[in-house]
Amino acid sequence: YFITGESKKSIMHSPFLEKLASKDMEVIFMVDPLDEYITQQLKDYGEKKLLCITKENLELGEQDNKDEFESMKKEYEGVCKLFKEVLDGNVEKVILSNRLDKSPCVLVTNEYGMTANMQRIMKAQALRGNDMGMNMNKNIMELNPYNKTIQTIKAKMSVEEEVRTVRDLIHMLYDITLLSSGMSLEDPVSFSNRMIKLINIGLGVDNDEEDEVVQN
């Protein structure tokens, strides 16, 4: 198993490592830009197959709670559907994850697509084409059904009074997960506005009143 990134510091606390760490499995850190190009072609070394832990269809050996997880897939179909609806255009699909231990969700790339680190490298290339952004693959969002945040969304998604809050929370989770998955924010202004709303809630400030003050 391996993970690529800008530096060891930037990936050593990555959510992609959670389940592997809990299973005491070794992961190679690849932090040289050249590693991205090498791993695109080098699929195995000796008798060892190289597996990128930030891509879809990750196999972590025999799953401990396989039957329970399969049951949860049906139970959380509505949650996955809601996430896909709210984030439509930003994600290819939303599924349950078996690679997370604590984090609520993570964004993975297509098995044959570019990793988040490779996308960062390509975006930084001075001579890249102007249409480079059009070639970036959509990401796949994986949800952790054992996380309390995801469980709370499931419990509140059918409550009419909570619908707006739940949708805002999904957008916030997406933005936060972009960062924790090694990607860049697509809309920093909207992210900042949601963070300010969250801060106001913590301070007991009425967001509607705050909006009126800003508009005046």
Side-chain angles (χ1 to χ4, degrees):
Y1 299 101
F2 72 90
I3 181 173
T4 59
E6 187 174 4
S7 65
K8 180 179 178 181
K9 183 178 180 180
S10 69
I11 59 178
M12 64 186 301
H13 298 299
S14 169
F16 291 108
L17 297 168
E18 290 180 355
K19 183 58 69 71
L20 289 101
S22 68
K23 289 177 172 287
D24 198 27
M25 301 169 76
E26 293 185 350
V27 179
I28 300 174
F29 286 8
M30 293 186 168
V31 296
D32 192 297
L34 188 60
D35 289 336
E36 282 288 355
Y37 297 94
I38 292 175
T39 54
Q40 293 292 322
Q41 305 299 325
L42 185 66
K43 301 302 180 183
D44 53 66
Y45 181 78
E47 297 181 354
K48 300 291 185 180
K49 185 177 180 181
L50 298 179
L51 299 174
C52 179
I53 66 172
T54 66
K55 292 191 174 185
E56 66 172 331
N57 299 325
L58 180 66
E59 295 291 340
L60 297 176
E62 187 64 28
Q63 193 171 336
D64 299 331
N65 53 349
K66 186 175 181 180
D67 293 338
E68 180 183 2
F69 186 75
E70 290 299 320
S71 176
M72 280 189 163
K73 282 184 178 180
K74 296 181 180 179
E75 185 181 344
Y76 278 79
E77 280 182 356
V79 181
C80 292
K81 184 177 179 180
L82 177 62
F83 268 78
K84 180 65 172 68
E85 176 190 325
V86 173
L87 301 175
D88 189 36
N90 292 319
V91 294
E92 180 182 337
K93 59 184 176 181
V94 181
I95 60 176
L96 288 196
S97 179
N98 63 353
R99 78 178 77 211
L100 294 173
D101 188 38
K102 296 179 181 178
S103 298
C105 45
V106 72
L107 285 165
V108 304
T109 51
N110 186 281
E111 187 174 359
Y112 302 103
M114 291 187 289
T115 65
N117 188 53
M118 187 62 173
Q119 292 181 41
R120 178 188 63 81
I121 293 172
M122 296 296 286
K123 286 180 180 179
Q125 288 182 351
L127 300 179
R128 68 179 176 86
N130 292 329
D131 62 341
M132 187 64 220
M134 299 298 292
N135 297 324
M136 296 298 179
N137 47 285
K138 285 185 179 181
N139 301 306
I140 299 162
M141 183 170 241
E142 295 190 359
L143 308 180
N144 180 5
Y146 300 101
N147 178 270
K148 289 184 178 180
T149 301
I150 302 301
Q151 291 174 351
T152 302
I153 288 177
K154 179 178 179 295
K156 293 188 175 184
M157 60 181 284
S158 300
V159 181
E160 187 175 348
E161 295 80 6
E162 301 285 354
V163 172
R164 181 177 177 182
T165 300
V166 167
R167 296 178 74 91
D168 283 342
L169 180 56
I170 290 174
H171 279 293
M172 177 67 75
L173 274 175
Y174 173 73
D175 289 338
I176 293 172
T177 306
L178 274 174
L179 296 175
S180 65
S181 299
M183 303 169 190
S184 56
L185 287 175
E186 299 168 353
D187 188 355
V189 175
S190 294
F191 175 72
S192 298
N193 289 337
R194 292 189 188 100
M195 284 299 295
I196 290 172
K197 285 184 179 180
L198 189 62
I199 291 171
N200 285 342
I201 291 173
L203 294 175
V205 177
D206 191 318
N207 279 309
D208 292 333
E209 291 182 4
E210 184 70 16
D211 289 340
E212 292 177 4
V213 173
V214 174
Q215 291 172 4
N216 291 335

Coordinates of all heavy atoms in Angstrom, one line a residue, residues 125-214:
Q125 N 1.6 23.2 -13.1 CA 2.5 23.3 -14.2 C 2.3 24.5 -15.0 O 1.2 24.8 -15.5 CB 2.4 22.0 -15.1 CG 3.0 20.8 -14.5 CD 2.8 19.6 -15.4 OE1 2.2 19.6 -16.4 NE2 3.5 18.5 -15.0
A126 N 3.3 25.3 -15.2 CA 3.2 26.6 -15.9 C 2.8 26.5 -17.3 O 2.1 27.4 -17.9 CB 4.5 27.4 -15.8
L127 N 3.1 25.4 -18.0 CA 2.9 25.2 -19.4 C 1.7 24.4 -19.7 O 1.5 24.0 -20.8 CB 4.1 24.6 -20.1 CG 5.4 25.4 -20.0 CD1 6.6 24.7 -20.7 CD2 5.2 26.8 -20.6
R128 N 0.8 24.1 -18.7 CA -0.3 23.3 -19.0 C -1.3 24.0 -19.8 O -1.4 25.2 -19.9 CB -1.0 22.9 -17.6 CG -1.7 24.0 -16.9 CD -2.3 23.5 -15.6 NE -2.9 24.6 -14.8 CZ -4.1 25.1 -15.0 NH1 -4.9 24.6 -16.0 NH2 -4.6 26.1 -14.3
G129 N -2.1 23.3 -20.5 CA -3.1 23.9 -21.4 C -4.2 24.6 -20.6 O -4.5 24.2 -19.5
N130 N -4.9 25.5 -21.2 CA -6.0 26.2 -20.6 C -7.2 25.4 -20.3 O -8.0 25.7 -19.4 CB -6.4 27.4 -21.4 CG -5.3 28.5 -21.5 OD1 -4.6 28.7 -20.6 ND2 -5.3 29.2 -22.6
D131 N -7.3 24.2 -21.0 CA -8.4 23.3 -20.8 C -8.1 22.2 -19.8 O -8.8 21.3 -19.7 CB -8.9 22.8 -22.1 CG -7.8 21.9 -22.8 OD1 -6.7 22.1 -22.4 OD2 -8.2 21.1 -23.6
M132 N -7.0 22.3 -19.1 CA -6.5 21.3 -18.2 C -7.6 20.9 -17.2 O -7.8 19.8 -16.8 CB -5.2 21.7 -17.5 CG -4.6 20.6 -16.7 SD -4.1 19.2 -17.7 CE -4.5 17.8 -16.7
G133 N -8.3 22.0 -16.7 CA -9.3 21.7 -15.6 C -10.4 20.9 -16.1 O -11.1 20.2 -15.3
M134 N -10.7 20.9 -17.4 CA -11.8 20.1 -18.0 C -11.5 18.6 -17.9 O -12.4 17.8 -18.0 CB -12.0 20.6 -19.4 CG -12.4 22.0 -19.5 SD -14.0 22.4 -18.7 CE -15.1 21.5 -19.7
N135 N -10.2 18.3 -17.8 CA -9.8 16.9 -17.8 C -9.7 16.3 -16.4 O -9.4 15.1 -16.3 CB -8.4 16.7 -18.6 CG -8.5 17.1 -20.0 OD1 -9.5 16.9 -20.7 ND2 -7.5 17.8 -20.5
M136 N -9.9 17.1 -15.4 CA -9.8 16.5 -14.1 C -11.0 15.7 -13.8 O -12.2 16.0 -14.1 CB -9.8 17.7 -13.0 CG -8.6 18.6 -13.2 SD -7.0 17.7 -12.8 CE -5.8 19.1 -13.1
N137 N -10.8 14.5 -13.3 CA -11.9 13.5 -13.0 C -12.7 13.9 -11.8 O -12.1 14.5 -10.8 CB -11.3 12.1 -12.8 CG -10.1 12.1 -11.9 OD1 -9.0 12.5 -12.2 ND2 -10.3 11.6 -10.7
K138 N -14.0 13.6 -11.8 CA -14.8 13.8 -10.6 C -14.4 12.8 -9.5 O -13.9 11.7 -9.8 CB -16.3 13.6 -11.0 CG -16.9 14.8 -11.7 CD -18.4 14.6 -11.9 CE -19.0 15.7 -12.7 NZ -20.5 15.5 -12.8
N139 N -14.6 13.2 -8.3 CA -14.2 12.3 -7.2 C -15.4 11.5 -6.7 O -16.6 11.8 -7.0 CB -13.7 13.2 -6.1 CG -12.5 14.0 -6.5 OD1 -11.5 13.5 -7.0 ND2 -12.5 15.3 -6.3
I140 N -15.1 10.5 -6.0 CA -16.1 9.6 -5.4 C -16.1 9.9 -3.9 O -15.1 9.8 -3.2 CB -15.8 8.1 -5.7 CG1 -15.8 7.9 -7.2 CG2 -16.8 7.2 -5.0 CD1 -15.1 6.6 -7.6
M141 N -17.3 10.2 -3.3 CA -17.3 10.4 -1.9 C -17.7 9.1 -1.2 O -18.7 8.4 -1.5 CB -18.4 11.5 -1.5 CG -18.5 11.8 -0.1 SD -19.4 13.3 0.2 CE -18.2 14.4 1.0
E142 N -16.9 8.8 -0.1 CA -17.2 7.6 0.7 C -17.6 8.0 2.1 O -16.9 8.8 2.7 CB -16.0 6.7 0.7 CG -15.6 6.1 -0.6 CD -14.6 5.0 -0.5 OE1 -14.1 4.7 0.6 OE2 -14.2 4.4 -1.6
L143 N -18.7 7.5 2.6 CA -19.2 7.9 3.9 C -18.9 6.8 4.9 O -19.0 5.6 4.6 CB -20.7 8.1 3.9 CG -21.3 9.1 2.8 CD1 -22.8 9.2 2.9 CD2 -20.6 10.5 2.9
N144 N -18.6 7.2 6.2 CA -18.4 6.3 7.3 C -19.7 6.1 8.1 O -20.0 7.0 8.9 CB -17.3 6.8 8.1 CG -16.9 5.9 9.3 OD1 -17.5 4.8 9.4 ND2 -16.0 6.4 10.2
P145 N -20.4 5.0 8.0 CA -21.7 4.8 8.7 C -21.5 4.7 10.2 O -22.5 4.8 10.9 CB -22.2 3.5 8.1 CG -21.0 2.8 7.6 CD -20.0 3.8 7.2
Y146 N -20.3 4.6 10.7 CA -20.0 4.4 12.1 C -19.7 5.8 12.7 O -19.5 5.9 13.9 CB -18.9 3.4 12.4 CG -19.2 2.1 11.8 CD1 -18.6 1.6 10.6 CD2 -20.0 1.2 12.5 CE1 -18.9 0.3 10.1 CE2 -20.3 -0.1 12.0 CZ -19.7 -0.5 10.8 OH -20.0 -1.8 10.4
N147 N -19.6 6.8 11.9 CA -19.3 8.2 12.4 C -20.6 8.9 12.9 O -21.6 8.8 12.2 CB -18.6 9.0 11.3 CG -18.3 10.4 11.7 OD1 -19.2 11.3 11.6 ND2 -17.2 10.6 12.3
K148 N -20.5 9.5 14.0 CA -21.7 10.2 14.6 C -22.3 11.3 13.7 O -23.5 11.5 13.7 CB -21.4 10.7 16.0 CG -21.1 9.6 17.1 CD -20.9 10.2 18.4 CE -20.7 9.1 19.5 NZ -20.5 9.7 20.8
T149 N -21.4 12.0 13.0 CA -21.9 13.1 12.1 C -22.8 12.5 11.0 O -23.9 13.0 10.8 CB -20.8 13.8 11.5 OG1 -19.9 14.4 12.5 CG2 -21.3 14.9 10.6
I150 N -22.4 11.4 10.4 CA -23.1 10.8 9.3 C -24.4 10.1 9.9 O -25.5 10.2 9.3 CB -22.3 9.7 8.6 CG1 -21.0 10.3 8.0 CG2 -23.1 9.0 7.6 CD1 -21.3 11.4 7.0
Q151 N -24.3 9.6 11.1 CA -25.5 9.0 11.8 C -26.5 10.1 12.1 O -27.7 9.8 12.0 CB -25.1 8.3 13.0 CG -24.3 7.0 12.8 CD -23.7 6.4 14.0 OE1 -23.8 6.9 15.1 NE2 -23.1 5.2 13.9
T152 N -26.1 11.2 12.5 CA -27.0 12.3 12.8 C -27.6 12.9 11.6 O -28.8 13.2 11.6 CB -26.2 13.5 13.5 OG1 -25.6 13.0 14.7 CG2 -27.1 14.6 13.9
I153 N -26.9 13.0 10.5 CA -27.5 13.4 9.2 C -28.6 12.4 8.8 O -29.7 12.8 8.4 CB -26.4 13.5 8.1 CG1 -25.5 14.7 8.4 CG2 -27.1 13.6 6.7 CD1 -24.4 14.9 7.4
K154 N -28.3 11.1 9.0 CA -29.3 10.1 8.7 C -30.6 10.3 9.5 O -31.7 10.2 9.0 CB -28.8 8.7 8.9 CG -29.7 7.6 8.6 CD -29.0 6.3 8.8 CE -29.9 5.1 8.6 NZ -31.1 5.0 9.5
A155 N -30.4 10.6 10.8 CA -31.5 10.8 11.7 C -32.4 12.0 11.4 O -33.6 12.1 11.6 CB -31.1 10.8 13.1
K156 N -31.7 13.1 10.9 CA -32.4 14.4 10.7 C -32.8 14.7 9.3 O -33.5 15.6 9.0 CB -31.5 15.5 11.2 CG -31.2 15.5 12.7 CD -30.5 16.8 13.1 CE -30.3 16.8 14.6 NZ -29.7 18.1 15.1
M157 N -32.4 13.9 8.3 CA -32.6 14.2 6.9 C -34.1 14.1 6.6 O -34.6 14.7 5.6 CB -31.9 13.2 6.0 CG -32.2 11.7 6.2 SD -31.2 10.6 5.1 CE -32.1 10.9 3.6
S158 N -34.9 13.4 7.4 CA -36.4 13.3 7.1 C -37.2 14.3 7.9 O -38.4 14.3 7.8 CB -36.8 11.9 7.4 OG -36.2 10.9 6.5
V159 N -36.5 15.1 8.8 CA -37.2 16.0 9.6 C -37.3 17.4 8.8 O -36.3 18.0 8.5 CB -36.5 16.3 10.9 CG1 -37.2 17.3 11.8 CG2 -36.3 14.9 11.7
E160 N -38.5 17.8 8.5 CA -38.7 18.9 7.7 C -38.0 20.2 8.2 O -37.4 21.0 7.4 CB -40.2 19.2 7.6 CG -40.6 20.3 6.6 CD -42.1 20.5 6.4 OE1 -42.8 19.6 6.8 OE2 -42.5 21.5 5.7
E161 N -38.0 20.4 9.5 CA -37.4 21.6 10.1 C -35.9 21.6 10.0 O -35.2 22.6 10.1 CB -37.8 21.8 11.5 CG -39.3 22.0 11.8 CD -40.1 20.8 11.7 OE1 -39.5 19.7 11.6 OE2 -41.3 20.9 11.8
E162 N -35.3 20.4 9.7 CA -33.9 20.2 9.7 C -33.3 20.2 8.3 O -32.0 20.1 8.1 CB -33.5 19.0 10.5 CG -33.9 19.0 11.9 CD -33.0 19.8 12.8 OE1 -32.0 20.4 12.3 OE2 -33.4 20.0 14.0
V163 N -34.1 20.2 7.3 CA -33.7 19.9 5.9 C -32.6 20.9 5.5 O -31.5 20.6 4.9 CB -34.8 19.9 4.9 CG1 -34.3 19.9 3.5 CG2 -35.7 18.7 5.2
R164 N -32.9 22.2 5.7 CA -31.9 23.3 5.3 C -30.6 23.1 6.0 O -29.5 23.2 5.4 CB -32.5 24.6 5.5 CG -31.6 25.8 5.1 CD -32.3 27.1 5.3 NE -31.4 28.2 4.9 CZ -31.7 29.5 5.0 NH1 -32.9 29.9 5.5 NH2 -30.8 30.4 4.7
T165 N -30.6 22.9 7.3 CA -29.4 22.7 8.1 C -28.6 21.5 7.6 O -27.4 21.5 7.5 CB -29.8 22.5 9.6 OG1 -30.5 23.7 10.0 CG2 -28.5 22.3 10.4
V166 N -29.3 20.4 7.3 CA -28.6 19.2 6.8 C -28.0 19.4 5.5 O -26.8 19.0 5.3 CB -29.7 18.0 6.7 CG1 -29.1 16.9 5.9 CG2 -30.1 17.5 8.1
R167 N -28.6 20.1 4.6 CA -28.0 20.4 3.3 C -26.8 21.3 3.4 O -25.8 21.1 2.7 CB -29.1 21.0 2.4 CG -30.2 20.1 2.0 CD -31.3 20.8 1.2 NE -30.8 20.9 -0.2 CZ -31.0 20.0 -1.2 NH1 -31.7 18.9 -0.9 NH2 -30.6 20.2 -2.4
D168 N -26.9 22.3 4.3 CA -25.7 23.1 4.6 C -24.6 22.3 5.1 O -23.4 22.5 4.8 CB -26.1 24.3 5.5 CG -26.9 25.4 4.8 OD1 -26.8 25.4 3.6 OD2 -27.5 26.2 5.5
L169 N -24.9 21.4 6.0 CA -23.9 20.6 6.7 C -23.2 19.7 5.6 O -22.0 19.5 5.7 CB -24.5 19.7 7.8 CG -23.6 18.8 8.5 CD1 -22.4 19.6 9.2 CD2 -24.3 18.0 9.6
I170 N -23.9 19.2 4.7 CA -23.4 18.3 3.6 C -22.4 19.1 2.8 O -21.3 18.6 2.5 CB -24.5 17.7 2.7 CG1 -25.3 16.7 3.5 CG2 -23.9 17.1 1.5 CD1 -26.5 16.1 2.8
H171 N -22.7 20.4 2.5 CA -21.8 21.2 1.7 C -20.5 21.5 2.5 O -19.4 21.5 2.0 CB -22.5 22.6 1.4 CG -23.4 22.5 0.2 ND1 -22.9 22.3 -1.1 CD2 -24.7 22.6 0.1 CE1 -23.9 22.3 -2.0 NE2 -25.0 22.5 -1.3
M172 N -20.7 21.7 3.8 CA -19.6 22.0 4.7 C -18.7 20.7 4.8 O -17.4 20.8 4.7 CB -20.1 22.4 6.1 CG -19.0 22.6 7.1 SD -17.9 24.0 6.7 CE -19.0 25.4 7.2
L173 N -19.3 19.6 4.9 CA -18.5 18.3 5.0 C -17.7 18.1 3.7 O -16.6 17.7 3.7 CB -19.5 17.2 5.2 CG -19.8 16.8 6.7 CD1 -20.9 15.7 6.7 CD2 -18.6 16.4 7.5
Y174 N -18.4 18.4 2.6 CA -17.7 18.3 1.3 C -16.4 19.2 1.2 O -15.4 18.7 0.8 CB -18.6 18.6 0.1 CG -18.0 18.6 -1.2 CD1 -17.6 17.4 -1.8 CD2 -17.7 19.8 -1.9 CE1 -17.0 17.4 -3.1 CE2 -17.1 19.8 -3.1 CZ -16.7 18.6 -3.7 OH -16.1 18.6 -4.9
D175 N -16.6 20.4 1.6 CA -15.4 21.4 1.6 C -14.3 20.9 2.5 O -13.1 20.9 2.1 CB -15.9 22.8 2.0 CG -16.8 23.4 0.9 OD1 -16.7 23.0 -0.3 OD2 -17.5 24.3 1.2
I176 N -14.7 20.5 3.7 CA -13.7 20.1 4.7 C -13.0 18.8 4.2 O -11.8 18.6 4.3 CB -14.3 19.8 6.0 CG1 -14.8 21.1 6.7 CG2 -13.4 19.1 7.0 CD1 -15.6 20.9 7.9
T177 N -13.8 17.9 3.6 CA -13.2 16.6 3.1 C -12.3 16.9 1.9 O -11.3 16.1 1.7 CB -14.4 15.7 2.7 OG1 -15.2 15.5 3.8 CG2 -13.8 14.3 2.3
L178 N -12.6 17.9 1.1 CA -11.7 18.2 0.0 C -10.3 18.5 0.5 O -9.3 18.0 0.0 CB -12.2 19.5 -0.8 CG -13.2 19.3 -1.9 CD1 -13.7 20.7 -2.4 CD2 -12.6 18.6 -3.1
L179 N -10.2 19.3 1.6 CA -9.0 19.6 2.2 C -8.3 18.4 2.8 O -7.1 18.2 2.6 CB -9.2 20.8 3.2 CG -9.7 22.1 2.7 CD1 -9.9 23.1 3.9 CD2 -8.7 22.7 1.7
S180 N -9.0 17.7 3.6 CA -8.4 16.5 4.3 C -8.0 15.4 3.3 O -7.2 14.6 3.6 CB -9.4 15.9 5.3 OG -10.5 15.4 4.7
S181 N -8.6 15.4 2.1 CA -8.3 14.4 1.1 C -7.1 14.9 0.2 O -6.8 14.2 -0.8 CB -9.5 14.0 0.3 OG -10.5 13.5 1.1
G182 N -6.6 16.0 0.5 CA -5.4 16.6 -0.3 C -5.8 17.3 -1.5 O -5.0 17.6 -2.4
M183 N -7.1 17.8 -1.6 CA -7.5 18.6 -2.7 C -7.7 20.0 -2.4 O -7.5 20.4 -1.2 CB -8.8 18.0 -3.3 CG -8.7 16.5 -3.6 SD -10.3 15.7 -3.9 CE -9.8 14.0 -4.0
S184 N -8.0 20.8 -3.4 CA -8.1 22.3 -3.1 C -9.6 22.7 -3.2 O -10.4 22.0 -3.9 CB -7.3 23.1 -4.2 OG -7.7 22.7 -5.5
L185 N -10.0 23.7 -2.5 CA -11.3 24.2 -2.4 C -11.8 24.7 -3.8 O -11.0 25.4 -4.4 CB -11.5 25.3 -1.4 CG -11.5 24.9 0.1 CD1 -11.5 26.1 1.0 CD2 -12.6 23.9 0.4
E186 N -13.0 24.4 -4.2 CA -13.5 24.8 -5.5 C -14.1 26.2 -5.3 O -14.1 27.0 -6.3 CB -14.5 23.8 -6.0 CG -13.9 22.4 -6.2 CD -14.9 21.3 -6.5 OE1 -16.1 21.6 -6.4 OE2 -14.5 20.2 -6.8
D187 N -14.7 26.5 -4.2 CA -15.4 27.7 -3.9 C -15.0 28.3 -2.5 O -15.8 28.1 -1.6 CB -16.9 27.5 -4.1 CG -17.7 28.8 -4.1 OD1 -17.1 29.9 -3.8 OD2 -18.9 28.8 -4.3
P188 N -13.9 28.9 -2.4 CA -13.4 29.4 -1.0 C -14.4 30.4 -0.4 O -14.5 30.4 0.8 CB -12.1 30.0 -1.3 CG -11.6 29.4 -2.6 CD -12.9 29.1 -3.4
V189 N -15.1 31.2 -1.2 CA -16.0 32.2 -0.7 C -17.2 31.6 0.0 O -17.5 31.9 1.2 CB -16.4 33.2 -1.8 CG1 -17.5 34.1 -1.2 CG2 -15.3 34.0 -2.3
S190 N -17.8 30.6 -0.6 CA -18.9 29.9 0.0 C -18.5 29.1 1.2 O -19.2 29.1 2.2 CB -19.5 28.9 -1.0 OG -20.1 29.6 -2.1
F191 N -17.3 28.6 1.2 CA -16.8 27.9 2.4 C -16.6 28.8 3.5 O -17.0 28.5 4.7 CB -15.4 27.2 2.0 CG -14.7 26.6 3.2 CD1 -15.2 25.4 3.8 CD2 -13.6 27.2 3.8 CE1 -14.6 24.8 4.8 CE2 -13.0 26.6 4.9 CZ -13.5 25.4 5.4
S192 N -16.1 30.0 3.2 CA -15.9 31.0 4.3 C -17.2 31.5 4.9 O -17.4 31.6 6.1 CB -15.1 32.2 3.7 OG -13.9 31.9 3.3
N193 N -18.2 31.7 4.0 CA -19.5 32.1 4.5 C -20.2 31.0 5.4 O -20.8 31.4 6.4 CB -20.5 32.4 3.3 CG -20.1 33.6 2.5 OD1 -19.4 34.5 3.1 ND2 -20.5 33.7 1.3
R194 N -20.0 29.8 5.0 CA -20.6 28.7 5.9 C -19.8 28.6 7.2 O -20.4 28.3 8.2 CB -20.5 27.3 5.1 CG -21.4 27.2 3.9 CD -21.4 25.8 3.4 NE -22.1 25.8 2.1 CZ -21.5 25.8 0.9 NH1 -20.2 25.7 0.8 NH2 -22.2 25.7 -0.2
M195 N -18.5 28.8 7.2 CA -17.7 28.8 8.4 C -18.2 30.0 9.3 O -18.3 29.8 10.5 CB -16.2 29.0 8.1 CG -15.6 27.7 7.6 SD -15.7 26.3 8.8 CE -14.7 26.9 10.1
I196 N -18.4 31.1 8.7 CA -18.9 32.3 9.5 C -20.2 32.0 10.2 O -20.5 32.3 11.3 CB -19.0 33.6 8.6 CG1 -17.6 34.0 8.3 CG2 -19.7 34.7 9.4 CD1 -17.5 35.1 7.2
K197 N -21.1 31.4 9.4 CA -22.4 31.0 10.0 C -22.3 30.0 11.2 O -22.9 30.1 12.2 CB -23.3 30.3 8.9 CG -23.9 31.3 7.9 CD -24.8 30.5 6.9 CE -25.4 31.5 5.9 NZ -26.3 30.8 4.9
L198 N -21.3 29.1 11.0 CA -21.1 28.1 12.1 C -20.5 28.8 13.3 O -20.9 28.5 14.4 CB -20.1 27.1 11.6 CG -19.8 25.8 12.5 CD1 -21.1 25.1 12.6 CD2 -18.8 24.9 11.8
I199 N -19.6 29.8 13.1 CA -19.0 30.6 14.2 C -20.1 31.3 14.9 O -20.2 31.4 16.1 CB -17.9 31.5 13.7 CG1 -16.7 30.7 13.2 CG2 -17.5 32.5 14.8 CD1 -15.7 31.5 12.5
N200 N -21.0 32.0 14.1 CA -22.1 32.7 14.7 C -23.0 31.9 15.6 O -23.5 32.3 16.6 CB -22.9 33.4 13.6 CG -22.2 34.6 13.0 OD1 -21.3 35.1 13.6 ND2 -22.6 35.0 11.8
I201 N -23.3 30.6 15.1 CA -24.1 29.7 15.9 C -23.4 29.4 17.2 O -24.1 29.4 18.3 CB -24.3 28.4 15.1 CG1 -25.2 28.7 13.9 CG2 -24.9 27.3 16.0 CD1 -25.4 27.5 13.0
G202 N -22.1 29.2 17.2 CA -21.4 29.0 18.4 C -21.4 30.1 19.3 O -21.4 30.0 20.6
L203 N -21.4 31.4 18.8 CA -21.4 32.6 19.6 C -22.8 33.0 20.0 O -23.0 34.0 20.7 CB -20.7 33.7 18.8 CG -19.2 33.5 18.6 CD1 -18.7 34.7 17.7 CD2 -18.4 33.5 19.9
G204 N -23.8 32.3 19.4 CA -25.2 32.7 19.7 C -25.7 33.9 18.9 O -26.7 34.6 19.3
V205 N -25.0 34.2 17.8 CA -25.4 35.3 17.0 C -26.5 34.8 15.9 O -26.3 33.8 15.3 CB -24.2 35.9 16.2 CG1 -24.6 37.0 15.3 CG2 -23.2 36.4 17.2
D206 N -27.5 35.6 15.7 CA -28.5 35.3 14.8 C -28.0 35.5 13.4 O -27.7 36.7 13.0 CB -29.8 36.1 15.0 CG -31.0 35.6 14.2 OD1 -30.8 35.3 13.0 OD2 -32.1 35.5 14.7
N207 N -27.8 34.5 12.6 CA -27.3 34.7 11.2 C -28.1 35.6 10.3 O -27.6 36.3 9.5 CB -27.1 33.3 10.6 CG -25.8 32.6 11.0 OD1 -24.8 33.2 11.0 ND2 -26.0 31.3 11.5
D208 N -29.5 35.5 10.5 CA -30.3 36.3 9.7 C -30.1 37.8 10.0 O -30.0 38.6 9.1 CB -31.8 36.0 9.9 CG -32.1 34.6 9.4 OD1 -31.5 34.1 8.4 OD2 -33.1 33.9 9.9
E209 N -30.0 38.1 11.3 CA -29.7 39.5 11.6 C -28.3 40.0 11.1 O -28.2 41.1 10.7 CB -29.7 39.7 13.2 CG -31.1 39.5 13.7 CD -31.1 39.7 15.3 OE1 -30.1 40.0 15.8 OE2 -32.2 39.5 15.9
E210 N -27.4 39.1 11.2 CA -26.0 39.4 10.7 C -26.0 39.7 9.2 O -25.4 40.6 8.7 CB -25.1 38.2 11.0 CG -23.6 38.5 10.6 CD -22.9 39.5 11.5 OE1 -23.5 39.8 12.6 OE2 -21.9 40.0 11.1
D211 N -26.8 39.0 8.4 CA -26.9 39.2 7.0 C -27.5 40.5 6.7 O -27.1 41.2 5.8 CB -27.8 38.1 6.4 CG -27.2 36.7 6.4 OD1 -25.9 36.7 6.5 OD2 -27.9 35.7 6.2
E212 N -28.5 40.9 7.5 CA -29.1 42.3 7.3 C -28.1 43.4 7.5 O -28.1 44.4 6.8 CB -30.3 42.4 8.2 CG -31.5 41.5 7.9 CD -32.6 41.6 8.9 OE1 -32.5 42.5 9.8 OE2 -33.6 40.9 8.8
V213 N -27.3 43.2 8.5 CA -26.3 44.2 8.8 C -25.3 44.4 7.7 O -24.9 45.4 7.3 CB -25.5 43.9 10.2 CG1 -24.4 44.9 10.4 CG2 -26.5 44.0 11.3
V214 N -24.8 43.2 7.2 CA -23.9 43.2 6.1 C -24.5 43.8 4.8 O -23.8 44.6 4.1 CB -23.5 41.7 5.8 CG1 -22.6 41.7 4.5 CG2 -22.7 41.1 6.9

